[in-house]
Amino acid sequence: GQSLEQPSEVTAVEGAIVQINCTYQTSGFYGLSWYQQHDGGAPTFLSYNALDGLEETGRFSSFLSRSDSYGYLLLQELQMKDSASYFCVPRGSGGYQKVTFGTGTKLQVIP
Amino acid sequence: EAGVTQSPTHLIKTRGQQVTLRCSPISGHTSVYWYQQALGLGLQFLLWYDEGEERNRGNFPPRFSGRQFPNYSSELNVNALELEDSALYLCASSLDGTRYTGELFFGEGSRLTVL
């Protein structure tokens, strides 16, 4: 089966660093994606990790440990506009497995 | 290049009615995904179409159905509407359902209100 765990809410201060953790279970595994969704908007793609390690894209970095079925999204130099929901999305291998977004993590950035 | 387009953007129905939502994927994308997002909640996987076939289905009753056309556009049909069907229905597309490229492209959604 498939399972997914993320914290439901995180609050952080503008300018700080925040880490959003994700643990997952899938049947086979291709990689882990992260998406951002502002209230009322559509989800947008942030990053994809297929291999272990850290991928950096500007202020955002994403980490994957395949052996631990664990990943995290790191947001640096937080800005008010980063207030949004963040979803980790594991992709299972072997056919058309469900693409599960789950409930995500709601990040609130405060002044 | 045009993104994923959905129609209608907003609609209001009453209990028991039927609704059809439409989605046009990005040109060249063969996979279309449908998600339901109730207010303040996460994305619930509804349906996945690829190359005209239904490939997977979420835990929704049979009154939720759909299809994919030869041009890869898709429809989501919901029969016998219930109050709890009120939600944002999001469609996404990707280049190839089986060889994962890492990114789903979402439309802006169709917001359905059931009274």
Side-chain angles (χ1 to χ4, degrees), chain A residues 8-32:
Chain A
S8 57
E9 294 182 0
V10 173
T11 301
V13 177
E14 190 177 14
I17 298 173
V18 71
Q19 178 174 312
I20 298 174
N21 297 319
C22 170
T23 57
Y24 60 86
Q25 184 177 9
T26 64
S27 299
F29 182 73
Y30 271 140
L32 188 69

Side-chain angles (χ1 to χ4, degrees), chain A residues 8-9 37 39-40 85 87 102-106, chain B residues 36-44 86-88 111:
Chain A
S8 57
E9 294 182 0
Q37 185 185 29
D39 282 348
S85 291
F87 298 88
T103 54
T105 298
K106 190 170 183 66
Chain B
Q36 182 196 63
Q37 187 172 34
L39 194 63
L41 298 180
L43 279 70
Q44 301 300 311
S86 294
L88 180 67
R111 184 162 296 282

Side-chain angles (χ1 to χ4, degrees), chain A residues 30-31 33 35 37 40-45 47-48 87 89 91 95-104, chain B residues 31 33 35 37 42-43 45 48 50 55-59 88 90 97-98 100-104 106-108:
Chain A
Y30 271 140
S33 298
Y35 287 78
Q37 185 185 29
T44 56
F45 174 81
S47 67
Y48 176 63
F87 298 88
V89 184
R91 290 302 298 263
Y96 291 90
Q97 292 191 40
K98 292 176 186 178
V99 185
T100 301
F101 275 67
T103 54
Chain B
S31 266
Y33 311 76
Y35 289 88
Q37 187 172 34
L43 279 70
F45 176 83
W48 181 357
D50 186 53
R55 302 298 183 175
N56 208 325
R57 180 183 179 84
N59 296 326
L88 180 67
L90 290 160
T98 54
Y100 182 55
T101 63
E103 183 170 1
L104 269 62
F106 281 85
E108 293 298 318

Side-chain angles (χ1 to χ4, degrees), chain A residues 15-107:
Chain A
I17 298 173
V18 71
Q19 178 174 312
I20 298 174
N21 297 319
C22 170
T23 57
Y24 60 86
Q25 184 177 9
T26 64
S27 299
F29 182 73
Y30 271 140
L32 188 69
S33 298
W34 289 90
Y35 287 78
Q36 178 192 59
Q37 185 185 29
H38 288 99
D39 282 348
T44 56
F45 174 81
L46 291 176
S47 67
Y48 176 63
N49 293 66
L51 303 175
D52 285 356
L54 193 67
E55 297 274 347
E56 298 182 46
T57 309
R59 296 187 297 111
F60 293 4
S61 302
S62 56
F63 171 83
L64 176 66
S65 168
R66 296 173 69 102
S67 60
D68 295 323
S69 296
Y70 164 77
Y72 66 72
L73 181 69
L74 193 71
L75 295 80
Q76 302 181 75
E77 300 172 18
L78 280 172
Q79 302 176 8
M80 299 300 290
K81 67 179 182 180
D82 297 329
S83 293
S85 291
Y86 293 84
F87 298 88
C88 67
V89 184
R91 290 302 298 263
S93 62
Y96 291 90
Q97 292 191 40
K98 292 176 186 178
V99 185
T100 301
F101 275 67
T103 54
T105 298
K106 190 170 183 66
L107 171 64

Side-chain angles (χ1 to χ4, degrees), chain B residues 2 14 21-22 33-34 46 56 59 65-67 74 89 102 108:
Chain B
T14 56
L21 308 178
R22 296 177 176 81
Y33 311 76
W34 286 96
L46 257 169
N56 208 325
N59 296 326
S65 65
R67 55 180 172 167
S74 177
Y89 289 85
E108 293 298 318

Side-chain angles (χ1 to χ4, degrees), chain B residues 21-78:
Chain B
L21 308 178
R22 296 177 176 81
C23 173
S24 293
I26 291 172
S27 177
H29 286 193
T30 64
S31 266
V32 171
Y33 311 76
W34 286 96
Y35 289 88
Q36 182 196 63
Q37 187 172 34
L39 194 63
L41 298 180
L43 279 70
Q44 301 300 311
F45 176 83
L46 257 169
L47 288 160
W48 181 357
Y49 291 96
D50 186 53
E51 297 284 359
E53 300 287 333
E54 181 180 303
R55 302 298 183 175
N56 208 325
R57 180 183 179 84
N59 296 326
F60 283 84
R63 58 190 186 82
F64 286 83
S65 65
R67 55 180 172 167
Q68 187 178 35
F69 298 97
N71 67 354
Y72 303 117
S73 67
S74 177
E75 281 182 354
L76 174 68
N77 297 293
V78 187

